[in-house]
Amino acid sequence: QVQLVESGGGLVQPGDSLRLSCAASGFTFSDFWMSWVRQIPGKGLEWVSGIDGDGGTTKYENSVKGRFTISRDNAKNTLYLQMNNLKPEETAVYYCAKGGAATWTTGARGQGTQVTVSS
């Protein structure tokens, strides 16, 4: 079965960087778009970024453009999200999800990793 396991979250200060990882198994990783989504406290799930199967196409939610970078290593079945210049309002549980911006809601999602941005 599909398994997605996120790691790399933690407590950081505003302006700091963090790199999230997602280990995927149970499907042919390189065949699928993958996304990062987040749930900010008190709000619904929000799509953050997506990447196509070979990593050649990436997409970002407007507020993270220029600060976040999504990437993948298909040899390791791993998805990444490099987050720079983090803001307190980006405190959330971050999830990796199978699918792109239009399809992630119907695909599998991991258990999430907590990112807290606070001074």
Side-chain angles (χ1 to χ4, degrees):
Q1 70 278 19
V2 174
Q3 275 199 316
L4 300 169
V5 180
E6 300 92 341
S7 61
L11 172 63
V12 297
Q13 294 189 339
D16 282 354
S17 298
L18 209 55
R19 189 195 197 201
L20 306 183
S21 299
C22 171
S25 61
F27 64 105
T28 305
F29 183 66
S30 59
D31 282 353
F32 292 90
W33 274 82
M34 294 293 295
S35 292
W36 287 98
V37 303
R38 65 188 177 190
Q39 186 153 29
I40 295 169
K43 298 186 178 181
L45 285 166
E46 171 188 52
W47 178 85
V48 174
S49 182
I51 186 168
D52 71 346
D54 65 9
T57 301
T58 58
K59 296 183 183 294
Y60 298 93
E61 191 270 328
N62 284 340
S63 70
V64 308
K65 285 181 181 177
R67 297 187 297 117
F68 288 16
T69 303
I70 190 171
S71 62
R72 64 194 298 160
D73 185 336
N74 287 342
K76 295 182 179 180
N77 284 358
T78 303
L79 179 71
Y80 302 101
L81 185 67
Q82 176 68 42
M83 305 186 292
N84 297 332
N85 192 19
L86 281 160
K87 303 175 181 181
E89 56 266 36
E90 293 177 315
T91 293
V93 178
Y94 285 73
Y95 302 87
C96 70
K98 183 169 172 276
T103 59
W104 67 268
T105 55
T106 61
R109 193 168 72 239
Q111 293 300 304
T113 186
Q114 176 72 47
V115 173
T116 302
V117 186
S118 175
S119 55

